[in-house]
Amino acid sequence: MSGERPRRSDGTRAAILRAARERFAADGYERATIRAIAADAAIDPSMVMRYYGNKERLFAAAAEFDLRLPDLSAVPDEEVATVLIRHFLDRWEGDETLMALLRAGVTNPAAADRMREIFATQLVPLAERLAPGEPLTRAGLVASQVLGLALSRYVLKLPPITAMTRAEVVAWTAPAVRHYLRGRPD
Amino acid sequence: MSGERPRRSDGTRAAILRAARERFAADGYERATIRAIAADAAIDPSMVMRYYGNKERLFAAAAEFDLRLPDLSAVPDEEVATVLIRHFLDRWEGDETLMALLRAGVTNPAAADRMREIFATQLVPLAERLAPGEPLTRAGLVASQVLGLALSRYVLKLPPITAMTRAEVVAWTAPAVRHYLRGRPD
DNA sequence: TCTGTTTGCCAACGCTTGTTGGCATAACGG
DNA sequence: CCGTTATGCCAACAAGCGTTGGCAAACAGA
């Protein structure tokens, strides 16, 4: 019932999805053209339409994403923020889907929706287990710091941020994230 | 030598610039069309070309921006972060140029350039006066937090962040910014 | 082997985009 | 007053976009 038998075109479908993620990540929603994606996947643009219907649905398929947040129940309190930031950096650098979501989410409502959904369904529950009250607010603040870091480092490439090593980034931002997770406002 | 005598078309020029800022802020660089901007300014699209040459130069003119960072030399150390965040919120809500720069900067290299330039020439000097060493790094970190906040609150509209009042935002983020300005990494 | 389906390409459509050149009219300078 | 310049609109262009329909070839099941 749930199992779809493999088709001969699965390779092409996967190539399209891979190329789409690349282009959306590099160029954003409007500048990533179906024609360019098709060229990257070495097939005809009309195939993209046949397999994914239209550009919007192609993006939806390419923007499927799991943060894969680790289980932090065994991690000592003082290290939670450090582990979390390291994990986010890994996800940003190891999977271009997040970049596609960020670049597209700034101008495309559906992409922004997906972004909200991801943080609401995946980060908030983690904050619920970790934080002493107000998990929504805390999760939102952590998200804002992580997103700001990604924006500065990977998209805008602010020189002071790109100049930092991974370890420096973690060391500097960990206290801020720790404050959002367990601290109190002024 | 520096004084350009006023032209009869100055009103039109200003209307174009105002409409351009609005559209770039709302839609980003590629979705903000010359035609839409011209319609908002109630003139013909060809006038935009005559007065600004092309779309890229129009954006450059519309994205002229001054952070107007206040003199913080008289502000007590503990309040510097609070004052700074409040000022950024003011600038973000009172002038759509910053939104135009953010929305455009994610996909347009020239806009990203301008963004880097603004933070480098305006925020770094302030960090040099305030911070005990490493002003570049500290300015970059403050920028990342402020940009992340703006992205979450004004662009992506993450529900937990938009639900916060201005005062709550300031109270929660001030300790993080204070850490970036005067604290030490882990 | 014959038949129907899947995979792929080609050519084209309707539309929107940035951009251009020409033509009218209004304002200005002498 | 006339000639020049500035201002504005109209019509059109070439290019690129998402999208569609049809046709050839390869495959699958009988």
Side-chain angles (χ1 to χ4, degrees):
Chain A
M1 182 161 268
S2 64
E4 304 273 338
R5 62 180 175 73
R7 308 196 202 203
R8 195 153 37 99
S9 57
D10 283 352
T12 304
R13 295 179 129 92
I16 293 172
L17 223 49
R18 200 177 330 124
R21 261 188 283 261
E22 253 177 63
R23 284 285 178 175
F24 283 128
D27 300 337
Y29 187 82
E30 18 274 334
R31 295 187 34 178
T33 68
I34 300 266
R35 285 169 150 91
I37 291 167
D40 286 2
I43 44 98
D44 190 87
S46 63
M47 302 300 294
V48 179
M49 308 306 293
R50 174 148 17 186
Y51 292 138
Y52 292 96
N54 59 32
K55 190 178 182 180
E56 207 177 335
R57 285 213 291 267
L58 172 63
F59 179 81
E64 209 81 48
F65 188 72
D66 185 348
L67 280 174
R68 295 189 198 165
L69 290 169
D71 179 20
L72 296 173
S73 56
V75 178
D77 279 10
E78 322 84 49
E79 293 179 29
V80 165
T82 302
V83 172
L84 201 57
I85 296 167
R86 266 202 273 262
H87 180 79
F88 270 114
L89 290 177
D90 285 344
R91 296 302 277 134
W92 275 102
E93 288 165 9
D95 189 334
E96 19 194 21
T97 314
L98 264 179
M99 187 76 75
L101 274 162
L102 176 54
R103 274 233 164 79
V106 169
T107 48
N108 183 273
D113 257 350
R114 180 64 61 91
M115 204 105 206
R116 282 189 289 269
E117 181 204 327
I118 287 173
F119 281 96
T121 63
Q122 303 183 38
L123 186 56
V124 168
L126 181 134
E128 280 169 349
R129 279 185 309 251
L130 284 178
E134 301 165 281
L136 282 176
T137 301
R138 294 177 186 276
L141 290 162
V142 171
S144 84
Q145 173 62 88
V146 167
L147 287 170
L149 187 64
L151 181 69
S152 307
R153 190 169 171 93
Y154 305 123
V155 178
L156 297 180
K157 298 186 197 296
L158 300 186
I161 302 292
T162 55
M164 296 170 83
T165 66
R166 230 182 102 97
E168 286 171 335
V169 169
V170 173
W172 271 106
T173 55
V177 171
R178 206 176 297 136
H179 162 247
Y180 290 144
L181 282 177
R182 324 200 65 110
R184 298 264 60 205
D186 265 356
Chain B
M1 181 159 267
S2 64
E4 303 274 338
R5 62 178 175 74
R7 308 195 201 200
R8 192 156 37 98
S9 57
D10 283 351
T12 304
R13 296 180 128 91
I16 293 172
L17 223 48
R18 201 176 330 123
R21 260 188 284 260
E22 255 178 59
R23 286 284 178 175
F24 283 129
D27 300 337
Y29 186 82
E30 19 275 333
R31 296 188 35 179
T33 68
I34 302 265
R35 284 170 151 91
I37 292 167
D40 286 1
I43 44 97
D44 190 87
S46 62
M47 302 299 295
V48 178
M49 308 305 295
R50 184 173 310 176
Y51 292 138
Y52 292 95
N54 59 31
K55 189 178 181 180
E56 206 176 336
R57 283 212 292 265
L58 171 63
F59 179 82
E64 209 82 46
F65 189 72
D66 186 348
L67 279 174
R68 296 189 197 161
L69 289 169
D71 179 20
L72 296 173
S73 56
V75 178
D77 278 10
E78 321 85 46
E79 291 178 31
V80 165
T82 302
V83 172
L84 200 57
I85 295 167
R86 266 201 273 263
H87 180 81
F88 270 114
L89 290 177
D90 284 344
R91 294 304 278 133
W92 225 288
E93 287 164 12
D95 189 334
E96 19 194 22
T97 313
L98 263 179
M99 186 76 73
L101 274 163
L102 177 53
R103 273 234 165 77
V106 168
T107 48
N108 184 273
D113 258 347
R114 179 66 59 91
M115 204 104 208
R116 283 189 288 269
E117 180 204 327
I118 287 173
F119 281 94
T121 63
Q122 303 183 38
L123 186 57
V124 168
L126 179 133
E128 279 169 350
R129 269 171 286 150
L130 284 177
E134 297 164 284
L136 282 175
T137 301
R138 295 178 186 276
L141 289 163
V142 171
S144 83
Q145 173 62 88
V146 167
L147 287 170
L149 187 64
L151 180 69
S152 308
R153 190 170 172 92
Y154 305 123
V155 179
L156 296 181
K157 298 188 198 296
L158 300 186
I161 301 292
T162 56
M164 296 170 84
T165 66
R166 230 182 104 96
E168 286 171 335
V169 169
V170 173
W172 271 105
T173 55
V177 171
R178 205 175 300 136
H179 162 246
Y180 290 144
L181 282 177
R182 322 200 69 109
R184 298 264 62 206
D186 266 356

